[in-house]
Amino acid sequence: MEAFHGRFYVSGEFREKYVVVEDGIIKSVTNELSGVHITSIPGLIFPGGVDMHVHFRDPGETEKEDFKTGSLSALYGGTTTVCDMPNNKVPIDNRESFGHKLSSIRNKSFVDFGLYQAASNVSIQECIGQKIFLGKSTGGLLTDLENCEWQDKVKVVHAELQECLENNSRENKDLITHDMARPIECEMEAIEHVFKYNLSKVHIAHLTSTRTVELSKSLGFTTEVTPHHLLLNNSMDLGARGKVNPPLRKRSVQEELLRSLKSKSIDVIASDHAPHTILEKKDFRDAPSGLPGVETRIPLTLSLHRKGLISLDRAVSLLMERPSEICRINKGYIAEGYDADFISVDIKNPVEINGEDLHSKCDWTPFERFEGIFPDVVYLRGELMIQERELVGSPAGVFLDAKKQ
Ligand code: DOR
Ligand code: ZN
């Protein structure tokens, strides 16, 4: 048994509390405590972050990222749990590839992790959720909705409808033409299409506009946005580094999405961390889509709070609570029975983001020189992982096996 003292985010407020932890799980949260050794944590203490949408490329493309570097990057950015997508080189749509992926990444992760399966005619009980691809993106997966085995778990939808993408196909040589080749209409059509299947627990990933957020909500879906669609747009000078699916939109659409972050229509901010090497990001036409972001997701969102755009409880809901609820994991809250994942932040201490300081293997960020607020201290299930912004822990992350929950 161990105990911690500090200003914890409990029931919607930061309050001075004692938190008792046993076997990595919060036993009690109290106003007073004596008779045990108590570790003080400085700053504001949030629950550890949960990023329900990352691509760590392991196995298959470990020249871009592997589970060690991806999870280290997550940890430095205050994310203690990730859910990894199934578009590996060999798709994770059957038991064999799922098992191979699990053995490839075992003992490599600095954070706890769940794994998605690509929805298919095989049902993998251990997966955290199922991924539906309605349009082709990196990896070229496309889901046959007529022939899937569904589970009572989150179904994360890549919402760009393939037929619409084909109708709009053109030479995409820059961010504007990339947006034209994959317009918002393809998102609208994909959301309306998946609705016809009457599935439970549908979650629409990386929405790019207030319009598609509202449409998704009106149909009963949960909603996700990314820091890049909130903060970047297609008139910025990003070149192929800003090439991502769905694309960055025009400035007015981006700014409207950012303003709607205050509203409860958006459930989750996920990074869609999708690293590609900087060499691949030279020529726009040939560049693969996707950009890194797991380490900057919480820092950028906390900076939005510092600038007055969202409240701290909205930030906690978007980064920690809602993704935990949607993935049905024991995380995201500082309360009895939850995992003791904590991050401590000095909210008044922003820094300038610099790609070279980040820990992803790909070594670049589209958020160069943006303001970020990084955690000083990170605990994973009661174990100190980061102290004074330096790694002190080992790769002790565990697989969140949905079969056992
Ligand atoms: O831009 C993207 N990159 N969109 C996706 O859907 C996949 C991702 C990747 O894996 O690179
Ligand atoms: Zn993705």
Side-chain angles (χ1 to χ4, degrees):
M1 197 172 81
E2 54 200 318
F4 300 93
H5 173 246
R7 293 184 66 202
F8 289 90
Y9 186 81
V10 176
S11 307
E13 278 180 289
F14 287 95
R15 304 173 198 214
E16 193 188 327
K17 293 281 179 190
Y18 294 88
V19 175
V20 177
V21 174
E22 199 171 78
D23 295 330
I25 295 172
I26 299 170
K27 268 235 117 175
S28 64
V29 180
T30 58
N31 291 328
E32 284 172 45
L33 188 71
S34 58
V36 286
H37 177 259
I38 298 168
T39 305
S40 280
I41 307 179
L44 296 181
I45 310 161
F46 297 75
V50 177
D51 192 342
M52 65 179 285
H53 190 155
V54 303
H55 302 259
F56 281 174
R57 312 290 189 215
D58 198 349
E61 290 171 299
T62 48
E63 71 284 2
K64 298 183 192 226
E65 193 79 282
D66 59 41
F67 235 87
K68 195 161 185 175
T69 53
S71 65
L72 192 61
S73 190
L75 190 70
Y76 272 100
T79 287
T80 46
T81 306
V82 296
C83 299
D84 190 63
M85 286 297 168
N87 61 330
N88 291 77
K89 199 94 196 167
V90 175
I92 311 302
D93 58 0
N94 62 70
R95 278 190 204 93
E96 194 193 347
S97 60
F98 193 93
H100 179 240
K101 178 166 180 171
L102 200 51
S103 59
S104 164
I105 65 189
R106 212 177 269 287
N107 303 325
K108 280 191 192 170
S109 187
F110 285 94
V111 301
D112 288 354
F113 59 96
L115 302 178
Y116 292 99
Q117 77 158 99
S120 72
N121 58 1
V122 178
S123 186
I124 304 164
Q125 300 306 311
E126 294 85 347
C127 79
I128 197 88
Q130 294 168 290
K131 178 76 184 276
I132 296 172
F133 294 90
L134 294 180
K136 287 190 191 169
S137 183
T138 315
L141 291 175
L142 208 50
T143 306
D144 174 8
L145 286 173
E146 303 287 344
N147 289 302
C148 287
E149 276 288 326
W150 298 115
Q151 298 187 43
D152 185 30
K153 290 178 185 170
V154 64
K155 293 156 197 84
V156 180
V157 181
H158 183 111
E160 292 185 289
L161 199 65
Q162 184 61 20
E163 191 188 335
C164 177
L165 296 178
E166 282 164 18
N167 291 339
N168 286 280
S169 165
R170 68 198 64 216
E171 188 197 20
N172 50 354
K173 55 183 188 323
D174 54 25
L175 291 176
I176 308 266
T177 44
H178 187 58
D179 179 10
M180 288 161 72
R182 308 177 76 106
I184 292 178
E185 285 63 41
C186 295
E187 264 181 79
M188 305 281 292
E189 287 183 25
I191 295 161
E192 280 161 356
H193 182 73
V194 75
F195 181 69
K196 293 184 207 148
Y197 287 81
N198 209 6
L199 305 173
S200 66
K201 301 191 172 64
V202 173
H203 174 84
I204 312 292
H206 41 48
L207 286 154
T208 65
S209 68
T210 306
R211 238 168 96 202
T212 47
V213 166
E214 293 303 335
L215 174 66
S216 304
K217 269 283 132 176
S218 74
L219 299 177
F221 302 154
T222 56
T223 55
E224 168 189 301
V225 299
T226 64
H228 47 278
H229 293 114
L230 289 168
L231 296 170
L232 307 177
N233 61 63
N234 66 15
S235 49
M236 292 176 169
D237 187 22
L238 291 159
R241 284 172 299 134
K243 186 178 179 187
V244 62
N245 298 330
L248 300 180
R249 304 300 185 195
K250 63 182 181 195
R251 186 170 160 185
S252 58
V253 172
Q254 173 243 311
E255 289 179 347
E256 191 187 21
L257 186 68
L258 184 56
R259 280 195 301 275
S260 59
L261 196 55
K262 273 197 177 114
S263 92
K264 296 240 165 83
S265 296
I266 299 173
D267 289 287
V268 170
I269 297 179
S271 69
D272 195 9
H273 178 81
H276 297 287
T277 64
I278 197 69
L279 272 177
E280 291 173 297
K281 287 290 202 177
K282 284 272 182 300
D283 176 61
F284 198 95
R285 288 176 187 81
D286 295 339
S289 292
L291 39 85
V294 71
E295 191 164 343
T296 44
R297 180 185 72 118
I298 292 177
L300 288 166
T301 308
L302 293 179
S303 162
L304 291 178
H305 163 71
R306 205 188 71 84
K307 291 174 179 161
L309 274 102
I310 52 166
S311 62
L312 271 185
D313 37 302
R314 264 310 275 154
V316 174
S317 173
L318 290 158
L319 299 167
M320 292 121 186
E321 295 173 350
R322 293 297 288 137
S324 302
E325 287 159 7
I326 290 167
C327 294
R328 299 206 280 186
I329 53 176
N330 222 23
K331 308 238 174 216
Y333 287 86
I334 300 176
E336 191 186 324
Y338 287 85
D339 285 358
D341 304 336
F342 311 132
I343 67 171
S344 149
V345 174
D346 177 358
I347 213 86
K348 296 197 182 70
N349 190 10
V351 299
E352 202 176 83
I353 293 173
N354 183 336
E356 284 180 6
D357 297 338
L358 303 176
H359 300 82
S360 165
K361 202 178 270 191
C362 80
D363 243 1
W364 62 277
T365 173
F367 302 107
E368 199 66 49
R369 308 188 66 157
F370 275 62
E371 179 185 294
I373 301 173
F374 288 78
D376 298 307
V377 178
V378 179
Y379 282 88
L380 175 65
R381 282 175 284 98
E383 293 294 321
L384 183 61
M385 299 295 286
I386 300 267
Q387 188 174 32
E388 294 176 21
R389 300 199 183 175
E390 292 298 337
L391 181 70
V392 293
S394 57
V398 299
F399 172 51
L400 303 172
D401 184 344
K403 200 174 174 179
K404 293 192 185 140
Q405 279 166 4

